[in-house]
Amino acid sequence: MSLKLKPGVVWGDAYKALVQNCKENRFALPAINVAGTNSLNAVLEAAARNKSDVIVQLSNGGAQFFAGLSLADKHKAMVLGAVSAARHTALMAEEYGVCVVLNTDHANRKLIPWVRDLVRMSEQSIMQTGVPLYSSHMLDLSDEPIGDNLRACEDILPRMFKAGIALEMELGVTGGEEDGIGQDIDEVDNAKLYTQPEEVLAAYDRLSKLGTISIAAAFGNVHGVYAPGNVMLRPEILKASQALVQKTHNLAENPLDFVFHGGSGSDPTDIRAAIDYGVFKMNVDTDTQFAFAKGVEAYVEQHTSAFKYQLHPETGVPAKGIYDPRKWLREGEKSMVDRLNIAFQQLGSVGQSVAS
Ligand SMILES: [Zn+2]
């Protein structure tokens, strides 16, 4: 019987079932960074339209923006913005009829307190309503020695697991920069762009017994869009890692849950291969940001005078109906939905929603 889940933010066993369903049926879900209700609603709209479930995520900067940039206490704004986004998502995902994996994106060493506070907010939420706020949180200690990386994950994972929250961790380095985290692709040691299967096995051995993990393994992927020729993807690294863990622990095919960072601008053949090797989540940020901007740009271009004068300079007609922010923000949303339609198609998730 095919999987059916209640629409809304998934967590605990429902999260695990949803991920397993993606892998078994060889498709992945796009993970889209949002920074406000405009981008968030556009993601839900696109998911509903494509009859797909979806992954929504907030970077630390996105969470702060959600709360408002004027708040003086940046840490508190990052926590409360993420809580606000979680409440909006939980309420609206049900209404749009889709299952949402809600995640926070890259958190390096100095952002661990942010993740800890969000786990604490989820624990409070469980006491009040029975459900956590987030499906998963990412820790990215990939620029530290692997021992330190794994120790930090071991520290937080049992508490997350108890609250029904999964951990996404990174091995190797995703090139490029995102929200102040990551490194310039020219400066990263090339070997670090390609995770070793032995490192993946070490992470699996130490972490999988403590909770639910997914792994962002580097296979040459980079954040952002670069000119062709700068990026050499090697998804066979994922295949070799799956095979090593499968063999060592005598498990079924594709035991690891892999995450693909830096999905913007990727070649469809590489995407297909990555999905075959157990990727259930592909991050798309750069391309959807650009799509939102293009939608607004086309509208402004078409109505230049309304963005300069409240009354039309020749006809005197009020331009209020044109410069109303709802008009041009909606154009950004629609353009973002168009780009997301492509992502759902590329990842094979169209029509695969498990929301009942
Ligand atoms: Zn990333």
Side-chain angles (χ1 to χ4, degrees), residues 33 57 105-106 138 140 168 170 174-175 178 181 216 221-223 259-263 281 283:
N33 285 63
Q57 58 189 16
D105 208 1
H106 297 268
M138 181 184 194
D140 176 4
E168 178 182 331
E170 179 153 330
T174 306
E178 188 172 272
I181 297 177
N221 33 338
V222 295
H223 291 126
V259 173
F260 184 163
H261 280 246
K281 168 182 190 267
N283 292 3

Side-chain angles (χ1 to χ4, degrees), residues 184-228:
D184 197 282
I185 46 170
D186 298 327
E187 288 168 14
V188 179
D189 174 11
N190 216 26
K192 286 210 89 179
L193 289 174
Y194 301 100
T195 304
Q196 301 299 315
E198 292 72 22
E199 291 175 342
V200 178
L201 177 64
Y204 181 87
D205 286 348
R206 281 175 63 173
L207 302 179
S208 65
K209 54 183 183 259
L210 300 176
T212 306
I213 59 161
S214 62
I215 300 176
F219 55 103
N221 33 338
V222 295
H223 291 126
V225 172
Y226 295 86

